[in-house]
Amino acid sequence: MTAVDFIDLASDTKTRPTAAMRAAMAAADVGDERAHEDPSVNRLLARCAALLGKEAAVFLPSGTMANEIALAVHCRPGDAVLCDATSHLIGFEGGGPAALAGVMIEPIGGRRGIFDAQALRAAIRADAPYAPRQRLVVVEQTSNLGGGAVWPRATLDDVAAVAHAAGLATHMDGARLLNACVASGVAAADHARGYDSVWIDFSKGLGAPGGAVLAGSRAFCDEAFRIKLRWGGAMRQSGIIAAACEYALDHHVERLAEDHAHARRFAESVAGVPGIAIAPGDVETNLVYFDVDAVAGGAAAFVAALQARGVRMVAMGPARVRAVTHLDVDAGAIERAGALVRAFCEEKRQNTL
């Protein structure tokens, strides 16, 4: 099997810079980013601050660092952060909220990673010296474990209003915010308007080799930059990476719609296959989640068998599997992936007869 034949649906982080993006990186005008002297970084920050409707922005190596810095700026050790029970903060950041910011997480049960204003209101309590002080509300747009679900703008606005009325700050994990923008037709600044801080990632569907931009008020970003230096996040001549991010904004945002269409097509192609349970109507963006039964071997065995046949996906639980579309996977690859899944499940069914 060649690299061309292999279909990698493990994550949109598997994207590789295109030839044109590499050329933009090679031609980047650079300087010392730590001293605010990199023109490519400065241009990207001004552009992202405007895109997100915020006063200022900070360039960071990763989205996880963006989340962790935001917690450290908004909170003090011992404070509590409210977020959905499926949040990236809880399951995929190596215990960073506790280890780095010293905060406690108070999860809220939502639907597909989305909680509403009523659920938040019920989770907010009166301040008392024997309980952790609730300080911050976090939303994740789109919701990863929610299957790429898009928070409706009205829900975002209502949640932010409840949080602010209670004296809490708000933060948006915008790892796939631009997927939400393309799917909903709502501008990034409108999604983020009720949130004191927000970030976007360039290393997922946008296809850059790294980089994230965290935005907020000038005072917030000044403190975020201080923590970035403390945690070793300065990158010196990082305009090389910023050039890739800017190229992605110019060329890879609108095409996210192709990834969404490919995700829907993949979901439709495996719907109704014996051994697989999936709701194609739940596929809003580029994430596809489905369950496999014991006949198909459970998630781990299913994923291993499909990878041996040329399709890589990820087991997300005993029965849960995730597939993610991105710019390195075209329509033909999606059709082949669906066919390989169908053939495997039919083979397993025949073996049980």
Side-chain angles (χ1 to χ4, degrees):
M1 183 187 307
T2 68
V4 173
D5 296 327
F6 189 74
I7 304 166
D8 199 338
L9 300 176
S11 176
D12 41 9
T13 61
K14 302 301 181 182
T15 56
R16 295 159 296 181
T18 63
M21 180 180 282
R22 288 173 180 266
M25 294 170 71
D29 191 10
V30 300
D32 187 351
E33 181 263 350
R34 181 168 178 164
H36 306 290
E37 294 174 356
D38 190 301
S40 296
V41 170
N42 293 342
R43 185 172 59 248
L44 176 68
L45 294 181
R47 182 171 179 178
C48 288
L51 175 70
L52 297 169
K54 304 303 178 188
E55 187 177 18
V58 179
F59 191 44
L60 297 168
S62 72
T64 292
M65 182 174 276
N67 267 345
E68 296 302 329
I69 287 177
L71 297 190
V73 175
H74 287 302
C75 303
R76 295 296 174 266
D79 286 347
V81 175
L82 293 90
C83 61
D84 189 83
T86 64
S87 293
H88 193 273
L89 284 173
I90 297 175
F92 302 100
E93 298 188 8
L100 299 173
V103 299
M104 300 181 67
I105 300 293
E106 297 185 353
I108 299 173
R111 180 183 179 277
R112 299 187 64 214
I114 299 171
F115 56 87
D116 60 18
Q118 181 178 354
L120 175 60
R121 192 177 289 110
I124 295 173
R125 60 176 179 273
D127 190 29
Y130 49 80
R133 178 180 283 116
Q134 294 176 321
R135 185 81 71 172
L136 179 67
V137 175
V138 177
V139 301
E140 184 181 324
Q141 180 71 306
T142 64
S143 170
N144 182 346
L145 292 184
V150 178
W151 284 71
R153 185 174 62 175
T155 303
L156 290 172
D157 289 347
D158 290 346
V159 164
V162 169
H164 288 150
L168 307 182
T170 53
H171 171 67
M172 177 178 287
D173 173 340
R176 295 182 177 89
L177 173 57
L178 295 186
N179 288 89
C181 294
V182 169
S184 66
V186 176
D190 289 332
H191 281 286
R193 65 187 177 187
Y195 292 79
D196 300 305
S197 56
V198 56
W199 62 273
I200 53 175
D201 200 328
F202 292 93
S203 65
K204 293 185 169 66
L206 295 183
V213 170
L214 173 65
S217 69
R218 176 67 62 186
F220 171 88
C221 289
D222 286 347
E223 187 61 20
F225 191 81
R226 180 187 299 274
I227 297 173
K228 167 187 170 174
L229 299 186
R230 180 184 301 160
W231 290 353
M235 296 180 283
R236 300 301 184 184
Q237 288 73 36
S238 52
I240 294 172
I241 304 173
C245 299
E246 191 160 27
Y247 181 90
L249 288 177
D250 289 335
H251 301 282
H252 291 170
V253 175
E254 291 183 3
R255 64 146 307 281
L256 292 172
E258 298 175 21
D259 297 343
H260 301 172
H262 291 160
R264 288 190 295 272
R265 176 58 191 143
F266 179 73
E268 291 164 357
S269 74
V270 301
V273 173
I276 291 181
I278 188 171
D282 285 346
V283 178
E284 298 180 57
T285 52
N286 67 323
L287 303 179
V288 181
Y289 281 79
F290 57 93
D291 293 317
V292 295
D293 65 15
V295 173
F302 175 89
V303 165
L306 265 297
Q307 180 157 339
R309 288 161 170 77
V311 182
R312 180 159 67 163
M313 293 173 278
V314 175
M316 301 294 286
R320 198 77 163 154
V321 176
R322 186 185 79 165
V324 188
T325 57
H326 52 83
L327 62 82
D328 281 351
V329 179
D330 61 18
I334 290 297
E335 294 300 329
R336 294 197 305 276
L340 288 165
V341 170
R342 294 194 300 273
F344 170 74
C345 289
E346 176 60 21
E347 176 185 315
K348 296 290 287 186
R349 190 185 72 83
Q350 291 292 335
N351 289 341
T352 60
L353 295 178

